[in-house]
Amino acid sequence: LPDLMGRGTDWDDLGPDDQAIQAAKMQVHAAMVDRADQGVGQIVEALKAAGRFNDTVIFVLADNGASPEVPGGPGYDRSAETRDGRPIRYKGFSPDELGGETTYTGIGAYWANAVNTPYRYWKMESFEGGCHTPLVVHWPAGLAAAPGSFCDDLGHIMDLMPTCLDLAGAEYPKTFGGHAIAPTEGKSLLPLLEGKGRPGHNVLFFEHEGGKAVVAGGWKAVQPTRGDTWELYHLAEDRTETRNLAQAQPDRLKALVDRWQAWAAKMGL
């Protein structure tokens, strides 16, 4: 089995059967991305046919890192049978059967580690491989940035709500159904779409399945799900988290961890 970083048996050390299964997994993974791309294309064609394409803002972003999971059986969001009642197998299938309706698996830690290159780890962890995702924005009528250009400003998924409210000229309600609701903590991305700057987030906190992180001022303190030791990285100079500075700067690490602990108490974690 691979360790937390996905290291394990080299490809050349796998037997032919294992190589065939691993290759088939990535073929199916690529095919799923292709199908999603075709689906987006159908939406684009429908918008063009309706004369709404230029005025429509399209956001495309990935989930929080490729997943290392290889499900062992049905349950939660995994089906036990097809729509017409055929059983779905989670093991004991040949490479040629992958991608069909009656088989279910995942790409596993090896491929997840490769897919998230150059970032560390994968979905569920709070390292960059588990919380850093690209965002593609398409808006012919309003996007001021040059086509194909990049914006390196730090954002968060919670920024999409206030962005859409800004675009629609709407306000986030303070109550709903007679009940007070928590205010959104996101910050609109509209200034960036219009080619302007924005203050952005002073600090971002993460917690998922025990994986913890706090990002502030270009620095990041992070703790893996299966560990109790915090690590420290200078993201402004080390986006791929390769130089752990926890021992070199313990005071900075403690200050960040204290901020995370205060946030966790506020959130009731």
Side-chain angles (χ1 to χ4, degrees):
L1 292 175
D3 64 17
L4 193 57
M5 276 301 295
R7 292 180 293 256
T9 305
D10 290 339
W11 176 263
D12 291 338
D13 292 333
L14 294 175
D17 292 343
D18 287 334
Q19 286 186 347
I21 283 288
Q22 291 296 329
K25 285 187 175 188
M26 184 47 66
Q27 287 174 325
V28 173
H29 183 75
M32 293 169 65
V33 174
D34 178 73
R35 295 304 302 181
D37 192 44
Q38 292 185 47
V40 172
Q42 291 176 319
I43 295 173
V44 166
E45 291 304 314
L47 288 169
K48 288 181 176 179
R52 303 298 301 273
F53 179 64
N54 288 338
D55 294 326
T56 299
V57 185
I58 300 176
F59 299 103
V60 181
L61 69 160
D63 198 351
N64 53 322
S67 174
E69 296 174 282
V70 179
Y76 186 51
D77 58 349
R78 293 155 187 160
S79 303
E81 60 183 31
T82 63
R83 293 180 180 180
D84 57 5
R86 289 172 292 162
I88 296 176
R89 287 174 294 148
Y90 285 74
K91 57 187 67 175
F93 38 69
S94 68
D96 292 338
E97 293 178 290
L98 288 184
E101 289 186 271
T102 59
T103 60
Y104 195 125
T105 188
I107 60 174
Y110 299 121
W111 281 127
N113 202 37
V115 169
N116 280 342
T117 302
Y119 299 123
R120 295 181 66 193
Y121 297 108
W122 38 62
K123 182 176 180 177
M124 189 171 72
E125 298 295 337
S126 293
F127 290 85
E128 293 297 277
C131 65
H132 194 132
T133 178
L135 170 66
V136 180
V137 182
H138 187 271
W139 183 22
L143 193 63
S149 61
F150 288 84
C151 175
D152 201 36
D153 283 55
L154 179 64
H156 192 277
I157 184 69
M158 63 185 173
D159 295 341
L160 292 185
M161 167 68 84
T163 303
C164 291
L165 291 174
D166 266 1
L167 290 167
E171 293 185 6
Y172 190 82
K174 296 181 179 179
T175 61
F176 182 80
H179 300 280
I181 58 177
T184 177
E185 295 187 23
K187 297 178 181 291
S188 176
L189 299 170
L190 185 58
L192 299 180
L193 305 185
E194 295 176 336
K196 308 170 186 176
R198 68 159 196 170
H201 296 277
N202 294 324
V203 59
L204 288 173
F205 299 99
F206 300 86
E207 192 282 330
H208 184 52
E209 298 291 338
K212 311 173 183 69
V214 51
V215 177
W219 289 83
K220 180 177 183 179
V222 58
Q223 185 183 95
T225 57
R226 289 182 285 176
D228 56 8
T229 301
W230 286 87
E231 301 176 19
L232 177 67
Y233 298 96
H234 192 191
L235 288 186
E237 299 179 357
D238 180 25
R239 186 73 63 83
T240 53
E241 299 169 312
T242 59
R243 299 185 296 275
N244 181 8
L245 302 175
Q247 292 186 350
Q249 300 203 37
D251 291 341
R252 185 186 298 274
L253 176 61
K254 183 180 184 305
L256 287 172
V257 172
D258 286 347
R259 295 183 73 173
W260 188 92
Q261 297 288 359
W263 171 80
K266 173 186 174 184
M267 301 302 293
L269 295 179

